[in-house]
Structure formats: structure tokens, C-alpha cells
Amino acid sequence: NAWLGRRLRTALAALPPLDRMIVLLREMEGLSTREVADITTLSEDNVKTRLHRARGKLRTELKGA
């Protein structure tokens, strides 16, 4: 578990700051897309797009482990 936690932190750190914030707010804090959009002042569609791309980057980064 510690190894996976380190890998996840490293993968998150590799994301651009805004994408990292979106992932953390949605996946870790459990906020809705609308809530994340309000916090980041982005449109809901933009939040969804960034989240989709960030998840893909995280998946790729974690597969390289």
C-alpha cells in the first residue's frame, strides 16, 4: 500500500496544477462536476474534459510502474 501511495502521489504531481486540483476535488473530496466548476470558474464541460484527460495521464503513469 505504501508503494502504491507513493506512485499515486508521484503521478498526481506530474499533472498540471489545475488538472491535479480537479482530480483531487472530484475523486478525493467527492465534489460534483458543478461544484468543481464553481470552484475553478471553468465550465462543467471543461471540467469533464480536463478530468478525462487527467485520468488518462494518471493511468498511463501508473502503468509504467
Side-chain angles (χ1 to χ4, degrees):
N1 280 341
W3 178 83
L4 183 57
R6 285 191 304 273
R7 291 292 302 148
L8 182 55
R9 280 190 297 279
T10 300
L12 282 167
L15 292 176
L18 184 56
D19 291 352
R20 183 171 49 248
M21 181 192 321
I22 290 170
V23 169
L24 292 174
L25 290 172
R26 280 287 286 140
E27 304 299 340
M28 306 297 186
E29 298 296 326
L31 298 181
S32 70
T33 302
R34 174 80 254 155
E35 291 169 319
V36 175
D38 288 342
I39 290 168
T40 60
T41 67
L42 298 171
S43 68
E44 287 185 62
D45 286 339
N46 199 311
V47 168
K48 289 176 186 178
T49 299
R50 284 177 173 270
L51 182 60
H52 177 75
R53 289 179 184 161
R55 284 176 177 157
K57 290 176 186 176
L58 288 173
R59 196 173 303 114
T60 299
E61 189 74 25
L62 291 172
K63 281 183 182 178

